[in-house]
Amino acid sequence: MFPFLSTSIVHLPDLITDLGLILITAAIAVLLFRIMKQPLVLGYLVAGFLASSEFDFFPTVKDVNSVKVWAEIGVIFLLFSLGLEFSFKKLVKVGGTASITAFTQIITLVTLGFFTGQFLGWSKMNSIFLGVILSISSTTIILKTFDELGVKSQKFAGNVIGSLIVQDIIAILMMVLLSTVAVSQQFSGMELVQSVLKLIFFLTIWFVVGIFFIPTLLKKAKHLLTDEMMLIISLALCLLMVIFAANVGFSPALGAFIMGSIIAETTQAEHIEHLVKPVKDLFGAVFFVSVGMLIDPNTLIEYAFPVAVLTLIVIFGQSISSTIGSLLSGQPLKQSIQSGMSLSQIGEFSFIIATLGTTLKVTSDFLYPIVVAVSAITTFTTPFMVKFAEPFSVFVEKKLPKRWVKRIQLYSSNTEEIKSLSNWQIVMRSYLTQVVLHSIIIVAIILLSSNFILPLVEDSKFGNAIAALITLIILSPFLWALSLRRVAVKQVQILLEQKKHYGPIIMLVLFRIALSLFYVGFILNTFFSAGIAAIAFLIAIGAYILFPKKLHAVYHKIEDHFMTNYNDREIKKENKRQNTLSPWDGHMTEFEIAKESNLAGKTLEELKIREQFEINIASIKRGEVVINIPLRTERLFPGDEISVIGTDKQVKEFKIYLDKNEIDVAEKVVETDIILQKLELKNRVCIGKSIRESQIRENTHGIIVGIERNGKRMLNPESHLILEESDILWIAGEKKKIAAFLRA
């Protein structure tokens, strides 16, 4: 009667049933963990354990090898997504604070991890991998925790995120070095140096070529690309770079990270990140579940002591080392402790590095489940560490000797002083950048020419000459830039006025010219015999001298195209600037007045925001108009974007106030034209007058947001306060007007 009921059962491949089991288990686990308000990564690890052969109460995964392939794809997309969020440009911008914090943490934990492994009787290779595994904090866990706790706008969060950027880059470098050490099974200094130089070479080439072509491609094809096409192109570019990285001997994860950071410089970065996120979440979930599948209860019981020891090392070692690093970089005590306690866990990079050791068969089987256990425990403790960091910092400040606290404050204040580089340092840095960058480009073009152009034409009568000519034509603008392009012009001119620097400057110029001639000779010697090469060399030099303006124009056209692509995202997008009143707790945060608001239409005087929350409104952006340092009579209107200056606590209270009075209030990305400037009152006519009488507001179109007096700090002082000669003021206002006031 119902023939379709008698059909034979269709057999599904194990890959499909395993994937279905993984996702169903993961869905249930993360739902439960969301209800319990715990990190979702923990849910994935638990799901992996439940789906593994170690747990017999549920169906188990049959084809573990296929799951490993899915997990490798998960690692690639995780690293691609991280690259989209943390570009190389951000690495340059994070500054010394984040770098010092990250380096202090990594050096401390690598050392602690290595000696702990030796203490536990593990092999050297296990100990090396352990040290690296324990040194990298989890970007995913920290960012999710910050979102859940709502602390992303607080001052310390910027240092934490900057530190994570530096850690991610160092982790990539350490993965390359670990691969070299694992293959050679010995610590060869020369091999490590070669690996680092090789990495720098390929990173530079990939980045320069990627920035030159990819943003242009996406920009030109923008009107043709649907979301589906954009997603496919993005993933294709990611996997293309993965293939390149693997072919030159690097980790596929490195290629994914590099392509992500290249695309991060395009105007389509946010859109692509949004499109890739579901793919990353899917494969990332499979990756974390696969990690959970490797949890062996028997191994954990056997190695319970190492797990406990390593957990304590991660929590306390990372917290203390990051706090010390943050203090060394000049951050105040409170922000340093908050930064340190936020970085006290390990996560995705630790799994990836542990997987690398397993794949290369240089680490023991017990290391992976131990790392997973430590990561699970520290993931669980992270929200509590972040939450209790502020009260703990207050407790520490009370318990420390007063002279220690005062010295920390003084050191923090002094490190915030603007320290300009000397003219000679600027010149040397510019010349070094010029030489290294163009040398890498020139060597790369020579290698590509000898491997791809020469084989195509070498069978013809003048094959070598054609190949050499093509190579020289392509290289000519870069050779001109290496030898003759002027850099740090102002500083060089100042140094030339001092006779003692005349010789070194001339030597730097001659060195660049000699290096360019060496590359020309190297090219010709590659394609010709010595005699012919000498004649061709003279001809090339003659052409080089005859057409300098043409080469100049071509190079600048190339450079302008690169810089346009490099800066296009920032030009077309308003950047969020969180100006900080270091080493104070005060900082600048931006909010938007919602379309329906009880505050709309009222003047600042009526709202009494300054009196209620002790914060200052630094600017109001209304459409294309920016009102810097608004008067009391200024009204707020729906859609206004306001910048306020205050402490974390004051800003938090103000946000609660906005939430109560506004619908759909949100922090907004705003670019302001105001700055925070430090001013010492020595020999100023305003000494002895009140802030209101001093006319500083009128003269600078700014407001005094802080005063340092005899080692004490006053944030947002009252207008009737009398100014004294020893006072140090912090003024928020328009850059040009403050500069004019300082010159007066």
Side-chain angles (χ1 to χ4, degrees), residues 96-117:
T97 298
S99 300
I100 293 171
T101 303
F103 274 103
T104 304
Q105 173 184 325
I106 288 174
I107 292 171
T108 303
L109 267 295
V110 167
T111 305
L112 273 175
F114 176 78
F115 285 109
T116 301

Side-chain angles (χ1 to χ4, degrees), residues 680-710:
E680 295 186 11
L681 275 190
K682 293 179 181 178
N683 303 321
R684 293 276 177 179
V685 294
C686 52
I687 295 170
K689 298 179 181 180
S690 68
I691 293 176
R692 187 184 296 274
E693 294 169 343
S694 69
Q695 298 291 301
I696 290 177
R697 180 187 182 104
E698 290 76 11
N699 292 330
T700 65
H701 198 203
I703 49 177
I704 298 175
V705 296
I707 296 179
E708 293 184 33
R709 177 178 292 174
N710 300 325

Side-chain angles (χ1 to χ4, degrees), residues 61-99:
V61 169
K62 298 176 182 178
D63 189 355
V64 178
N65 291 326
S66 295
V67 176
K68 287 181 179 178
V69 174
W70 288 101
E72 288 180 15
I73 299 174
V75 171
I76 288 170
F77 289 137
L78 273 174
L79 272 278
F80 180 57
S81 182
L82 281 175
L84 284 172
E85 192 166 355
F86 298 143
S87 68
F88 280 112
K89 188 183 291 185
K90 288 184 179 180
L91 177 64
V92 176
K93 290 182 178 179
V94 295
T97 298
S99 300

